[in-house]
Amino acid sequence: AYQRGWIKGRNECWKVEDAKAYMTDLYKERIQEIKNKYHLADVEEQSMRSPQQFDKTFSLQGITFHIVATNEGSINQLTITPSGLQVDNRVIKQEIDGTVTGAEIGDINADGSPEIYVYVNSSGSGAYGNLVAYSANNKKSLSEIYLPPLEYDKKNSVGYMGHDEFSLIENSFARRFPVYNEGDANCCPKGGTRQLQYKLIMGEASWQLKLVNSTTYQSK
């Protein structure tokens, strides 16, 4: 009802001497009123700020991980604080190229000790993905989990230009990204979406994510 009344008054602008200036001021005032009423000014200010700090806690099987990332620029500080480990609960601090976009805890190899997976995406239009992950060894200490760089995979890296998404799917780790055909613009990949699934295995020196399945879904 208020808005309808405002419209009625707006429609009378033609009667004043400088209708254009009056109309401009009228709209500015109304926009500000709406911003103040629905707190839109706060939302606008937040959208102009740098990405907010990532700060979340994850717990599974008696082990807790507190994940904090500054997310203030292209290079950030990642801090992983474990608790509940029987031997070594030292804090892990490392510099990352990009911002933390998510994290998950799981036990994808079903050994009774959890893993923590932290997802990082680089700044810029590519948003290339990277993984920082650790496994609790018999709930005693942490060992790093190694994800082979995608560029080493000549088959599955074809058409890859970033925009990664990571997630845990039941007992596997999944990596998804759009596939670019030759000549596709960065905004418009036309080669569908590729999903890579990995199993967690014990390597010679550390835990490794081994590729077990690759599927490319074509766009409709």
Side-chain angles (χ1 to χ4, degrees), residues 25-120:
D25 291 340
L26 195 69
Y27 267 96
K28 285 181 179 179
E29 290 176 5
R30 183 60 181 144
I31 289 170
Q32 192 59 48
E33 286 176 0
I34 293 173
K35 281 185 175 181
N36 292 339
K37 182 176 181 179
Y38 297 103
H39 307 291
L40 297 178
D42 296 338
V43 174
E44 190 175 73
E45 289 174 3
Q46 289 176 7
S47 67
M48 296 174 66
R49 296 174 188 164
S50 59
Q52 294 183 351
Q53 173 178 281
F54 186 92
D55 188 340
K56 291 187 178 182
T57 300
F58 303 85
S59 296
L60 183 65
Q61 298 164 332
I63 308 299
T64 297
F65 298 95
H66 183 200
I67 311 299
V68 177
T70 51
N71 281 6
E72 293 179 343
S74 58
I75 303 297
N76 288 282
Q77 182 76 24
L78 170 64
T79 303
I80 301 175
T81 305
S83 60
L85 296 169
Q86 298 171 12
V87 177
D88 190 353
N89 286 283
R90 280 181 293 180
V91 176
I92 298 171
K93 292 185 177 182
Q94 65 184 85
E95 192 175 76
I96 56 173
D97 182 2
T99 58
V100 172
T101 55
E104 290 184 272
I105 192 171
D107 182 14
I108 66 174
N109 63 346
D111 67 349
S113 296
E115 311 98 38
I116 186 70
Y117 299 84
V118 182
Y119 309 143
V120 180

Side-chain angles (χ1 to χ4, degrees), residues 2-3 33 38 54 58 70 119 132 135 155 183 190 203 206 210:
Y2 187 94
Q3 181 66 14
E33 286 176 0
Y38 297 103
F54 186 92
F58 303 85
T70 51
Y119 309 143
V132 178
S135 176
K155 178 182 177 181
K190 299 177 182 178
S206 66
K210 180 182 179 181

Side-chain angles (χ1 to χ4, degrees), residues 97 120-130 160-164 175:
D97 182 2
V120 180
N121 285 87
S122 65
S123 59
S125 59
Y128 290 92
N130 190 23
Y160 173 71
M161 291 180 62
H163 307 285
D164 298 89
R175 178 180 198 164

Side-chain angles (χ1 to χ4, degrees), residues 173-216:
F173 172 79
R175 178 180 198 164
R176 288 182 294 273
F177 52 87
V179 177
Y180 287 78
N181 295 328
E182 187 174 352
D184 285 353
N186 187 271
C187 67
C188 310
K190 299 177 182 178
T193 301
R194 184 168 297 142
Q195 177 171 293
L196 307 179
Q197 285 185 261
Y198 300 81
K199 294 289 187 181
L200 182 62
I201 64 170
M202 174 56 78
E204 294 182 3
S206 66
W207 291 98
Q208 297 183 11
L209 288 165
K210 180 182 179 181
L211 181 65
V212 293
N213 188 44
S214 173
T215 307
T216 302

